Amino acid sequence: MSIVSLLLFRKRPKLMLLGFIYTRRQQQWISKIKRCYFSVIVGLAHRVVCHSVLEVEDNRRFFNSPDSKFIFIPYGLHVYAPRSSAQLQPDSELYALSAGRSGRDYALLGRVFAELGYPLRIVCDSDQAVKEAESAENIRILNSCYGEDYLKQLAAAKLVIVPIAVDDISAGQMVFLQAMALRKPVIITDTPTTRLYAEHGKTALLVEKGSFTELKLAVEALWGDAELAARLAETGYRHFCDQHSIAVFVKNICDVLKAS
């Protein structure tokens, strides 16, 4: 469509690149090739949307781009609920749930639940991501759980935990927001990218990255305090509706296009 627009109308379209996450590579030659490739892509785009302020600032420096090129728009999504209330509880077990593959600290999460003994399910299709997770009878790895099956697991969980191992790129927001949209109390690692989406003690419990003690205490607090869990679930849901629904996400994108 960009080529057609240029040929027929002699007009360059305004292309917006959404959800840009640039990860560095250790191999120098791969890093150079990747940087050259994405420099071209970024140059063609009118705006490049990141889902954290940290990444906006980092990418501006890395690609030596104008300040207006990279912008921050909070991530938003639409969550499809299971088709019926009967599907919300796949079995009678009360369990905590974690999900995702990028930048997760499942080793820490596994150690915490191996000690606590509470049932934990981890939805992850990457053997590499979960290889260091503690092997225990109370921990289940669901490596073929997608779509509605995933949402059913999420909707039936007692609480949701998103343990993050990285603090320089966006990670964990999708699972976090899906949990809030389904009124689940959430524990998430406090990083420069996640704290834009959560307020400790109000919409979620934020814990220090890599801290066994903080994560364990947060899990115990939500597992044993029904009033706290319900309050976080409700305020989290309202926060999702006000700031991160698909309607808000699309409005933010349209506002940028109108203003540019």
Short mmCIF file of all heavy atoms in Angstrom, two decimals, residues 19-71:
data_model
loop_
_atom_site.label_atom_id
_atom_site.label_comp_id
_atom_site.label_asym_id
_atom_site.label_seq_id
_atom_site.Cartn_x
_atom_site.Cartn_y
_atom_site.Cartn_z
N GLY A 19 4.27 -1.48 19.02
CA GLY A 19 4.85 -2.47 19.91
C GLY A 19 6.30 -2.79 19.64
O GLY A 19 6.71 -3.95 19.67
N PHE A 20 7.11 -1.76 19.41
CA PHE A 20 8.52 -1.97 19.06
C PHE A 20 9.34 -2.31 20.31
O PHE A 20 9.39 -1.54 21.26
CB PHE A 20 9.09 -0.72 18.40
CG PHE A 20 10.49 -0.88 17.89
CD1 PHE A 20 10.76 -1.63 16.78
CD2 PHE A 20 11.55 -0.27 18.56
CE1 PHE A 20 12.06 -1.78 16.30
CE2 PHE A 20 12.85 -0.41 18.10
CZ PHE A 20 13.11 -1.17 16.97
N ILE A 21 9.98 -3.48 20.29
CA ILE A 21 10.88 -3.91 21.36
C ILE A 21 12.19 -4.34 20.72
O ILE A 21 12.22 -5.31 19.95
CB ILE A 21 10.29 -5.06 22.19
CG1 ILE A 21 8.96 -4.67 22.82
CG2 ILE A 21 11.27 -5.50 23.27
CD1 ILE A 21 8.26 -5.80 23.57
N TYR A 22 13.25 -3.61 21.01
CA TYR A 22 14.55 -3.92 20.40
C TYR A 22 15.46 -4.56 21.43
O TYR A 22 15.79 -3.96 22.45
CB TYR A 22 15.21 -2.64 19.87
CG TYR A 22 16.45 -2.90 19.03
CD1 TYR A 22 16.34 -3.17 17.68
CD2 TYR A 22 17.71 -2.90 19.61
CE1 TYR A 22 17.46 -3.42 16.91
CE2 TYR A 22 18.84 -3.15 18.86
CZ TYR A 22 18.72 -3.42 17.50
OH TYR A 22 19.83 -3.67 16.75
N THR A 23 15.85 -5.80 21.16
CA THR A 23 16.73 -6.52 22.08
C THR A 23 18.15 -6.56 21.52
O THR A 23 18.35 -6.75 20.32
CB THR A 23 16.24 -7.96 22.29
OG1 THR A 23 16.08 -8.61 21.02
CG2 THR A 23 14.91 -7.97 23.01
N ARG A 24 19.11 -6.35 22.37
CA ARG A 24 20.52 -6.38 21.96
C ARG A 24 21.00 -7.83 21.81
O ARG A 24 20.52 -8.72 22.48
CB ARG A 24 21.40 -5.66 23.00
CG ARG A 24 20.92 -4.27 23.39
CD ARG A 24 21.04 -3.29 22.23
NE ARG A 24 20.90 -1.92 22.69
CZ ARG A 24 19.75 -1.25 22.67
NH1 ARG A 24 18.66 -1.82 22.24
NH2 ARG A 24 19.71 0.01 23.09
N ARG A 25 21.98 -8.03 20.93
CA ARG A 25 22.58 -9.33 20.73
C ARG A 25 24.03 -9.32 21.21
O ARG A 25 24.72 -8.32 21.07
CB ARG A 25 22.55 -9.71 19.24
CG ARG A 25 21.15 -9.79 18.65
CD ARG A 25 20.34 -10.88 19.31
NE ARG A 25 19.00 -10.97 18.74
CZ ARG A 25 18.05 -11.77 19.18
NH1 ARG A 25 18.28 -12.55 20.21
NH2 ARG A 25 16.86 -11.79 18.61
N GLN A 26 24.46 -10.44 21.76
CA GLN A 26 25.82 -10.52 22.28
C GLN A 26 26.85 -10.59 21.15
O GLN A 26 27.92 -9.99 21.24
CB GLN A 26 25.97 -11.75 23.18
CG GLN A 26 25.20 -11.63 24.49
CD GLN A 26 25.44 -12.81 25.40
OE1 GLN A 26 25.98 -13.83 24.99
NE2 GLN A 26 25.03 -12.68 26.66
N GLN A 27 26.52 -11.31 20.07
CA GLN A 27 27.45 -11.41 18.95
C GLN A 27 27.52 -10.06 18.22
O GLN A 27 26.50 -9.55 17.77
CB GLN A 27 27.03 -12.51 17.97
CG GLN A 27 27.05 -13.91 18.57
CD GLN A 27 25.72 -14.29 19.19
OE1 GLN A 27 24.92 -13.42 19.51
NE2 GLN A 27 25.48 -15.58 19.34
N GLN A 28 28.72 -9.53 18.08
CA GLN A 28 28.89 -8.19 17.52
C GLN A 28 28.43 -8.10 16.08
O GLN A 28 27.77 -7.13 15.68
CB GLN A 28 30.36 -7.76 17.63
CG GLN A 28 30.58 -6.29 17.29
CD GLN A 28 32.02 -5.87 17.55
OE1 GLN A 28 32.88 -6.68 17.78
NE2 GLN A 28 32.26 -4.57 17.51
N TRP A 29 28.73 -9.11 15.26
CA TRP A 29 28.36 -9.04 13.85
C TRP A 29 26.85 -9.13 13.66
O TRP A 29 26.28 -8.46 12.80
CB TRP A 29 29.07 -10.13 13.05
CG TRP A 29 28.66 -11.54 13.38
CD1 TRP A 29 29.14 -12.34 14.37
CD2 TRP A 29 27.66 -12.31 12.71
NE1 TRP A 29 28.52 -13.56 14.37
CE2 TRP A 29 27.61 -13.58 13.35
CE3 TRP A 29 26.82 -12.06 11.62
CZ2 TRP A 29 26.74 -14.58 12.94
CZ3 TRP A 29 25.95 -13.08 11.21
CH2 TRP A 29 25.92 -14.32 11.87
N ILE A 30 26.18 -9.95 14.49
CA ILE A 30 24.73 -10.02 14.43
C ILE A 30 24.11 -8.70 14.87
O ILE A 30 23.14 -8.21 14.28
CB ILE A 30 24.20 -11.18 15.31
CG1 ILE A 30 24.65 -12.53 14.74
CG2 ILE A 30 22.68 -11.13 15.40
CD1 ILE A 30 24.19 -13.72 15.55
N SER A 31 24.69 -8.12 15.91
CA SER A 31 24.20 -6.84 16.41
C SER A 31 24.28 -5.74 15.36
O SER A 31 23.36 -4.93 15.20
CB SER A 31 24.99 -6.44 17.66
OG SER A 31 24.52 -5.22 18.19
N LYS A 32 25.38 -5.72 14.58
CA LYS A 32 25.55 -4.70 13.55
C LYS A 32 24.53 -4.87 12.43
O LYS A 32 23.94 -3.89 11.95
CB LYS A 32 26.97 -4.77 12.99
CG LYS A 32 28.04 -4.23 13.93
CD LYS A 32 29.41 -4.28 13.28
CE LYS A 32 30.47 -3.71 14.22
NZ LYS A 32 31.83 -3.78 13.60
N ILE A 33 24.34 -6.12 12.00
CA ILE A 33 23.37 -6.39 10.93
C ILE A 33 21.96 -6.02 11.38
O ILE A 33 21.19 -5.38 10.64
CB ILE A 33 23.42 -7.87 10.52
CG1 ILE A 33 24.76 -8.19 9.85
CG2 ILE A 33 22.26 -8.21 9.58
CD1 ILE A 33 24.96 -9.66 9.55
N LYS A 34 21.63 -6.41 12.60
CA LYS A 34 20.30 -6.11 13.13
C LYS A 34 20.08 -4.62 13.26
O LYS A 34 19.02 -4.10 12.90
CB LYS A 34 20.13 -6.78 14.51
CG LYS A 34 18.74 -6.61 15.08
CD LYS A 34 18.59 -7.34 16.40
CE LYS A 34 17.18 -7.15 16.94
NZ LYS A 34 16.98 -7.84 18.24
N ARG A 35 21.09 -3.89 13.71
CA ARG A 35 20.96 -2.44 13.86
C ARG A 35 20.77 -1.77 12.49
O ARG A 35 19.93 -0.87 12.36
CB ARG A 35 22.17 -1.86 14.56
CG ARG A 35 22.07 -0.36 14.79
CD ARG A 35 23.19 0.14 15.67
NE ARG A 35 23.05 1.56 15.96
CZ ARG A 35 23.81 2.22 16.81
NH1 ARG A 35 24.76 1.59 17.48
NH2 ARG A 35 23.62 3.50 17.02
N CYS A 36 21.50 -2.20 11.48
CA CYS A 36 21.35 -1.63 10.14
C CYS A 36 19.95 -1.89 9.59
O CYS A 36 19.30 -0.99 9.02
CB CYS A 36 22.39 -2.22 9.19
SG CYS A 36 24.08 -1.67 9.51
N TYR A 37 19.47 -3.13 9.78
CA TYR A 37 18.14 -3.49 9.28
C TYR A 37 17.06 -2.63 9.93
O TYR A 37 16.21 -2.05 9.26
CB TYR A 37 17.89 -4.97 9.54
CG TYR A 37 16.47 -5.41 9.27
CD1 TYR A 37 16.03 -5.62 7.97
CD2 TYR A 37 15.58 -5.60 10.32
CE1 TYR A 37 14.73 -6.02 7.72
CE2 TYR A 37 14.28 -6.00 10.08
CZ TYR A 37 13.84 -6.20 8.77
OH TYR A 37 12.55 -6.59 8.53
N PHE A 38 17.09 -2.56 11.27
CA PHE A 38 16.04 -1.82 11.95
C PHE A 38 16.19 -0.31 11.80
O PHE A 38 15.22 0.42 11.95
CB PHE A 38 15.99 -2.22 13.43
CG PHE A 38 15.21 -3.48 13.67
CD1 PHE A 38 15.85 -4.68 13.90
CD2 PHE A 38 13.83 -3.46 13.63
CE1 PHE A 38 15.13 -5.84 14.10
CE2 PHE A 38 13.09 -4.61 13.83
CZ PHE A 38 13.75 -5.82 14.06
N SER A 39 17.38 0.16 11.50
CA SER A 39 17.55 1.59 11.20
C SER A 39 16.76 1.97 9.96
O SER A 39 16.16 3.05 9.89
CB SER A 39 19.03 1.93 11.01
OG SER A 39 19.74 1.77 12.22
N VAL A 40 16.76 1.07 8.97
CA VAL A 40 15.97 1.31 7.75
C VAL A 40 14.48 1.29 8.07
O VAL A 40 13.72 2.17 7.64
CB VAL A 40 16.29 0.24 6.69
CG1 VAL A 40 15.37 0.40 5.48
CG2 VAL A 40 17.74 0.36 6.25
N ILE A 41 14.05 0.29 8.85
CA ILE A 41 12.63 0.17 9.22
C ILE A 41 12.17 1.40 10.00
O ILE A 41 11.11 1.98 9.73
CB ILE A 41 12.39 -1.10 10.05
CG1 ILE A 41 12.78 -2.35 9.26
CG2 ILE A 41 10.93 -1.18 10.51
CD1 ILE A 41 12.03 -2.55 7.99
N VAL A 42 12.97 1.79 10.97
CA VAL A 42 12.63 2.97 11.79
C VAL A 42 12.59 4.23 10.93
O VAL A 42 11.73 5.10 11.10
CB VAL A 42 13.65 3.13 12.95
CG1 VAL A 42 13.51 4.48 13.62
CG2 VAL A 42 13.46 2.01 13.98
N GLY A 43 13.52 4.32 9.97
CA GLY A 43 13.53 5.48 9.10
C GLY A 43 12.30 5.59 8.23
O GLY A 43 11.84 6.70 7.92
N LEU A 44 11.73 4.45 7.82
CA LEU A 44 10.53 4.45 6.99
C LEU A 44 9.27 4.80 7.79
O LEU A 44 8.29 5.29 7.23
CB LEU A 44 10.35 3.09 6.33
CG LEU A 44 11.38 2.71 5.26
CD1 LEU A 44 11.19 1.26 4.84
CD2 LEU A 44 11.28 3.63 4.06
N ALA A 45 9.30 4.51 9.08
CA ALA A 45 8.12 4.73 9.92
C ALA A 45 7.98 6.20 10.29
O ALA A 45 8.96 6.90 10.55
CB ALA A 45 8.21 3.88 11.18
N HIS A 46 6.73 6.66 10.33
CA HIS A 46 6.44 8.02 10.77
C HIS A 46 6.55 8.13 12.29
O HIS A 46 7.08 9.11 12.82
CB HIS A 46 5.03 8.41 10.30
CG HIS A 46 4.62 9.80 10.65
ND1 HIS A 46 5.25 10.91 10.15
CD2 HIS A 46 3.67 10.25 11.50
CE1 HIS A 46 4.68 12.00 10.63
NE2 HIS A 46 3.73 11.63 11.47
N ARG A 47 6.02 7.13 12.97
CA ARG A 47 6.12 7.04 14.42
C ARG A 47 6.40 5.58 14.80
O ARG A 47 5.90 4.66 14.16
CB ARG A 47 4.83 7.50 15.11
CG ARG A 47 4.52 8.98 14.95
CD ARG A 47 5.43 9.85 15.81
NE ARG A 47 5.03 11.24 15.76
CZ ARG A 47 5.46 12.12 14.86
NH1 ARG A 47 6.34 11.72 13.91
NH2 ARG A 47 5.06 13.37 14.88
N VAL A 48 7.17 5.41 15.85
CA VAL A 48 7.45 4.08 16.38
C VAL A 48 6.95 4.04 17.82
O VAL A 48 7.42 4.81 18.67
CB VAL A 48 8.95 3.75 16.33
CG1 VAL A 48 9.20 2.35 16.87
CG2 VAL A 48 9.48 3.86 14.89
N VAL A 49 6.01 3.17 18.08
CA VAL A 49 5.36 3.11 19.39
C VAL A 49 6.07 2.09 20.28
O VAL A 49 6.22 0.92 19.91
CB VAL A 49 3.88 2.73 19.26
CG1 VAL A 49 3.25 2.52 20.64
CG2 VAL A 49 3.13 3.82 18.49
N CYS A 50 6.48 2.53 21.45
CA CYS A 50 7.02 1.66 22.49
C CYS A 50 6.04 1.64 23.65
O CYS A 50 5.25 2.57 23.82
CB CYS A 50 8.39 2.15 22.97
SG CYS A 50 9.65 2.22 21.69
N HIS A 51 6.13 0.61 24.46
CA HIS A 51 5.20 0.50 25.58
C HIS A 51 5.84 0.81 26.92
O HIS A 51 5.33 0.40 27.97
CB HIS A 51 4.56 -0.88 25.57
CG HIS A 51 3.72 -1.14 24.35
ND1 HIS A 51 2.83 -0.23 23.86
CD2 HIS A 51 3.68 -2.21 23.51
CE1 HIS A 51 2.24 -0.72 22.77
NE2 HIS A 51 2.74 -1.91 22.55
N SER A 52 6.95 1.53 26.89
CA SER A 52 7.54 2.06 28.11
C SER A 52 8.34 3.31 27.78
O SER A 52 8.89 3.44 26.67
CB SER A 52 8.44 1.02 28.79
OG SER A 52 9.69 0.91 28.13
N VAL A 53 8.42 4.23 28.73
CA VAL A 53 9.19 5.46 28.56
C VAL A 53 10.67 5.14 28.46
O VAL A 53 11.41 5.78 27.69
CB VAL A 53 8.92 6.42 29.73
CG1 VAL A 53 9.81 7.65 29.64
CG2 VAL A 53 7.45 6.85 29.74
N LEU A 54 11.13 4.16 29.22
CA LEU A 54 12.53 3.76 29.20
C LEU A 54 12.98 3.39 27.79
O LEU A 54 14.04 3.81 27.33
CB LEU A 54 12.74 2.57 30.14
CG LEU A 54 14.14 1.94 30.16
CD1 LEU A 54 15.14 2.88 30.81
CD2 LEU A 54 14.11 0.60 30.89
N GLU A 55 12.16 2.61 27.08
CA GLU A 55 12.51 2.18 25.73
C GLU A 55 12.47 3.34 24.74
O GLU A 55 13.27 3.37 23.79
CB GLU A 55 11.58 1.06 25.29
CG GLU A 55 11.85 -0.25 26.01
CD GLU A 55 10.78 -1.28 25.78
OE1 GLU A 55 9.61 -1.01 26.13
OE2 GLU A 55 11.09 -2.35 25.24
N VAL A 56 11.56 4.27 24.95
CA VAL A 56 11.52 5.45 24.09
C VAL A 56 12.85 6.20 24.16
O VAL A 56 13.47 6.52 23.14
CB VAL A 56 10.36 6.39 24.49
CG1 VAL A 56 10.50 7.75 23.81
CG2 VAL A 56 9.02 5.77 24.12
N GLU A 57 13.29 6.48 25.37
CA GLU A 57 14.53 7.23 25.56
C GLU A 57 15.74 6.45 25.06
O GLU A 57 16.64 7.00 24.41
CB GLU A 57 14.69 7.57 27.05
CG GLU A 57 13.59 8.50 27.57
CD GLU A 57 13.62 8.64 29.07
OE1 GLU A 57 14.35 7.86 29.73
OE2 GLU A 57 12.92 9.53 29.60
N ASP A 58 15.77 5.14 25.33
CA ASP A 58 16.89 4.31 24.91
C ASP A 58 16.97 4.21 23.39
O ASP A 58 18.04 4.32 22.80
CB ASP A 58 16.75 2.92 25.53
CG ASP A 58 17.97 2.05 25.26
OD1 ASP A 58 19.10 2.57 25.35
OD2 ASP A 58 17.80 0.86 24.97
N ASN A 59 15.83 4.02 22.73
CA ASN A 59 15.81 3.88 21.28
C ASN A 59 16.13 5.20 20.57
O ASN A 59 16.76 5.19 19.50
CB ASN A 59 14.45 3.37 20.82
CG ASN A 59 14.25 1.90 21.11
OD1 ASN A 59 15.19 1.11 21.01
ND2 ASN A 59 13.04 1.52 21.48
N ARG A 60 15.74 6.31 21.15
CA ARG A 60 16.10 7.60 20.57
C ARG A 60 17.61 7.77 20.50
O ARG A 60 18.16 8.22 19.50
CB ARG A 60 15.49 8.75 21.38
CG ARG A 60 14.00 8.97 21.15
CD ARG A 60 13.46 10.00 22.13
NE ARG A 60 12.03 10.25 21.91
CZ ARG A 60 11.27 10.97 22.73
NH1 ARG A 60 11.82 11.49 23.84
NH2 ARG A 60 9.99 11.16 22.46
N ARG A 61 18.27 7.36 21.58
CA ARG A 61 19.73 7.46 21.61
C ARG A 61 20.36 6.42 20.69
O ARG A 61 21.29 6.73 19.93
CB ARG A 61 20.25 7.26 23.04
CG ARG A 61 19.92 8.40 23.99
CD ARG A 61 20.69 8.24 25.30
NE ARG A 61 20.31 7.02 26.00
CZ ARG A 61 19.35 6.93 26.91
NH1 ARG A 61 18.67 8.01 27.23
NH2 ARG A 61 19.09 5.77 27.50
N PHE A 62 19.88 5.21 20.73
CA PHE A 62 20.49 4.11 19.99
C PHE A 62 20.39 4.32 18.48
O PHE A 62 21.35 4.06 17.74
CB PHE A 62 19.80 2.80 20.37
CG PHE A 62 20.45 1.58 19.79
CD1 PHE A 62 21.64 1.10 20.30
CD2 PHE A 62 19.85 0.89 18.74
CE1 PHE A 62 22.25 -0.03 19.77
CE2 PHE A 62 20.44 -0.25 18.21
CZ PHE A 62 21.64 -0.70 18.73
N PHE A 63 19.23 4.80 18.01
CA PHE A 63 19.04 5.02 16.58
C PHE A 63 19.30 6.47 16.16
O PHE A 63 19.11 6.81 15.00
CB PHE A 63 17.61 4.62 16.19
CG PHE A 63 17.36 3.14 16.25
CD1 PHE A 63 16.69 2.59 17.32
CD2 PHE A 63 17.81 2.31 15.25
CE1 PHE A 63 16.45 1.22 17.39
CE2 PHE A 63 17.58 0.94 15.30
CZ PHE A 63 16.91 0.40 16.37
N ASN A 64 19.72 7.29 17.13
CA ASN A 64 20.04 8.69 16.84
C ASN A 64 18.90 9.35 16.06
O ASN A 64 19.10 9.99 15.01
CB ASN A 64 21.35 8.80 16.06
CG ASN A 64 21.88 10.23 16.01
OD1 ASN A 64 21.59 11.04 16.90
ND2 ASN A 64 22.63 10.54 14.98
N SER A 65 17.69 9.23 16.58
CA SER A 65 16.50 9.68 15.87
C SER A 65 15.95 10.97 16.47
O SER A 65 16.28 11.33 17.61
CB SER A 65 15.42 8.61 15.94
OG SER A 65 14.93 8.49 17.27
N PRO A 66 15.11 11.69 15.73
CA PRO A 66 14.44 12.86 16.29
C PRO A 66 13.57 12.46 17.48
O PRO A 66 13.09 11.33 17.56
CB PRO A 66 13.57 13.36 15.13
CG PRO A 66 14.18 12.77 13.91
CD PRO A 66 14.76 11.45 14.31
N ASP A 67 13.37 13.39 18.39
CA ASP A 67 12.59 13.09 19.60
C ASP A 67 11.17 12.64 19.27
O ASP A 67 10.56 11.88 20.02
CB ASP A 67 12.53 14.33 20.50
CG ASP A 67 13.87 14.60 21.19
OD1 ASP A 67 14.75 13.71 21.13
OD2 ASP A 67 14.03 15.69 21.77
N SER A 68 10.63 13.12 18.15
CA SER A 68 9.25 12.80 17.80
C SER A 68 9.08 11.41 17.20
O SER A 68 7.96 10.92 17.09
CB SER A 68 8.71 13.84 16.81
OG SER A 68 9.47 13.81 15.61
N LYS A 69 10.18 10.76 16.82
CA LYS A 69 10.08 9.46 16.14
C LYS A 69 9.53 8.38 17.07
O LYS A 69 8.57 7.68 16.73
CB LYS A 69 11.45 9.04 15.62
CG LYS A 69 11.49 7.66 14.98
CD LYS A 69 10.82 7.61 13.63
CE LYS A 69 11.66 8.34 12.59
NZ LYS A 69 11.13 8.12 11.22
N PHE A 70 10.13 8.22 18.24
CA PHE A 70 9.69 7.21 19.19
C PHE A 70 8.74 7.83 20.21
O PHE A 70 9.02 8.89 20.76
CB PHE A 70 10.89 6.58 19.91
CG PHE A 70 11.72 5.69 19.05
CD1 PHE A 70 12.80 6.21 18.35
CD2 PHE A 70 11.42 4.35 18.90
CE1 PHE A 70 13.58 5.40 17.54
CE2 PHE A 70 12.19 3.53 18.10
CZ PHE A 70 13.27 4.05 17.41
N ILE A 71 7.62 7.16 20.44
CA ILE A 71 6.62 7.67 21.38
C ILE A 71 6.16 6.55 22.30
O ILE A 71 6.26 5.36 21.96
CB ILE A 71 5.40 8.29 20.66
CG1 ILE A 71 4.72 7.23 19.78
CG2 ILE A 71 5.80 9.51 19.85
CD1 ILE A 71 3.42 7.70 19.19
#
